[in-house]
Amino acid sequence: MSEAKDNLVLFPKTLDYYQIQLTRMLETERYADAKGLLQFLLQCGGEAERHHTEWQALLGWLEAAFPEAGEGFFSGEALLEDEEEDAEETLRQRLAERTGQDAEYIPRLLAGLGGSEDPEQQLMILGQLSYVEHPEIEGALRKWLLDSEHHAIVQFRALQTLRRQGAAGAVHFLRGGELLQAEAEAVPLQFADFPPAVSDVLDRVRQTAEVSDPTLSYFAEEMWKECIQVAFGTPIYRHMIEEEDGATDTWAAAVHQFLTEKLHGKQGDDWVREQYGITGDLRFRYEQALRWLRMYAGELAPDA
């Protein structure tokens, strides 16, 4: 972070990190913390300013919907502490209590999901639905995915929720005007559940960037993990998980070049292609992968 006049200016990756933390806070009902983070983000200038309208609207919604949740104290260092497991266990307990006391709580959540067009609110609702069991959830989510198109990350979270509900068989959803299909049992619940080829891409990038640009590895991990979620269930996903010769190098080179452009500005890719052995037939596949990253990288954040 750097300071400009009276505003804080966030570096792009720092902004992405806070967006992820905000989503987790909403999913785990840490509304006071979310309010504190939103207040902090609204003080930030630079790239953050294009999100101010959205953040202000979300803050207004939180204050109206959860007035009893005071504004939490935001600390950047506090966010670095891993409290996710405790928060999830707390959420499970709260939801068990609520559903036991109020039979209409889950139906209201499902109605809220159907009535919302805000990806952040959708993720928050799906986060709660992931930790309860209810006979209406599976059917409602299947219908919701099929009725209209939603943000790619939100769709993937809905697929994960269906798997946690014990759903089986084909699940259909819309993407780019096309009807796509995924098998509920095959939806990964965590990054380690993806086929080995997915993590091989990150390993390859780490090896290459270790000397030339060590910080690129961190960016690559965050971006690739979300890219694979965006791609899940689409035709391009099949290419991402291929284990044939050259597939790992192709995607690793594309990720490396894409991030180089983002971090250091547009520049040639001769060095990257040389490092990853992108020659002959791999050149066309590499260019296709790079084109996909350029087109769909905007899908990585719910506000894109």
Side-chain angles (χ1 to χ4, degrees):
M1 255 181 292
S2 61
E3 198 167 320
K5 296 184 179 179
D6 295 328
N7 288 331
L8 292 169
V9 179
L10 300 181
F11 293 126
K13 191 56 191 177
T14 307
L15 178 58
D16 291 344
Y17 173 74
Y18 288 151
Q19 290 274 55
I20 293 169
Q21 293 301 321
L22 177 60
T23 298
R24 288 176 176 171
M25 289 174 180
L26 293 172
E27 290 176 351
T28 54
E29 291 190 309
R30 294 158 58 194
Y31 301 130
D33 291 338
K35 289 180 183 180
L37 177 53
L38 285 167
Q39 291 283 11
F40 166 78
L41 291 172
L42 286 168
Q43 299 175 38
C44 298
E47 183 72 12
E49 291 182 4
R50 68 187 182 94
H51 302 288
H52 280 190
T53 300
E54 169 199 341
W55 289 335
Q56 189 64 62
L58 181 58
L59 179 60
W61 177 79
L62 284 172
E63 290 175 339
F66 306 101
E68 71 282 0
E71 181 183 318
F73 173 73
F74 170 77
S75 166
E77 292 182 0
L79 278 182
L80 297 178
E81 299 177 3
D82 187 8
E83 301 174 348
E84 190 171 347
E85 292 185 5
D86 290 341
E88 289 182 355
E89 183 57 35
T90 299
L91 177 57
R92 285 191 182 93
Q93 294 174 0
R94 288 180 180 175
L95 287 172
E97 293 173 0
R98 286 190 182 182
T99 54
Q101 298 169 0
D102 183 0
E104 294 302 311
Y105 183 71
I106 298 303
R108 283 201 303 273
L109 279 182
L110 293 171
L113 180 66
S116 174
E117 295 183 0
D118 181 354
E120 291 286 1
Q121 292 184 28
Q122 292 169 346
L123 287 171
M124 181 188 69
I125 293 172
L126 289 169
Q128 295 186 52
L129 294 176
S130 293
Y131 297 109
V132 294
E133 294 182 1
H134 192 280
E136 294 182 21
I137 293 178
E138 180 178 344
L141 287 185
R142 285 180 178 273
K143 183 176 185 301
W144 182 75
L145 283 168
L146 192 55
D147 281 350
S148 60
E149 188 166 342
H150 307 285
H151 190 280
I153 293 294
V154 177
Q155 288 177 327
F156 183 75
R157 192 62 56 83
L159 292 173
Q160 288 182 315
T161 303
L162 280 170
R163 181 177 173 184
R164 289 191 173 100
Q165 291 295 315
V171 180
H172 297 90
F173 59 99
L174 298 171
R175 178 75 59 80
E178 296 184 12
L179 182 63
L180 301 178
Q181 174 180 309
E183 295 299 318
E185 303 94 326
V187 177
L189 295 180
Q190 54 190 354
F191 186 71
D193 294 337
F194 283 100
V198 173
S199 57
D200 289 347
V201 169
L202 282 182
D203 291 340
R204 186 73 173 88
V205 173
R206 291 191 191 103
Q207 292 171 5
T208 305
E210 186 175 4
V211 176
S212 63
D213 193 352
T215 59
L216 188 140
S217 295
Y218 172 77
F219 290 90
E221 181 173 355
E222 294 299 313
M223 189 194 80
W224 183 241
K225 285 182 177 181
E226 295 195 4
C227 272
I228 205 71
Q229 295 179 27
V230 169
F232 186 80
T234 69
I236 199 70
Y237 179 74
R238 292 193 291 272
H239 297 295
M240 290 178 167
I241 62 175
E242 287 177 349
E243 295 187 1
E244 64 182 64
D245 290 343
T248 296
D249 286 337
T250 295
W251 279 100
V255 168
H256 194 134
Q257 177 62 22
F258 176 80
L259 285 174
T260 298
E261 294 173 358
K262 285 292 183 182
L263 296 172
H264 307 298
K266 188 79 172 180
Q267 51 189 281
D269 63 353
D270 292 347
W271 183 88
V272 169
R273 287 191 288 106
E274 179 181 351
Q275 295 299 309
Y276 290 91
I278 304 301
T279 59
D281 294 339
L282 292 183
R283 177 71 179 270
F284 176 70
R285 293 165 57 189
Y286 155 76
E287 290 178 349
Q288 283 186 313
L290 184 56
R291 186 178 302 112
W292 185 88
L293 291 176
R294 288 169 175 163
M295 288 177 61
Y296 292 97
E299 288 290 317
L300 299 186
D303 60 339

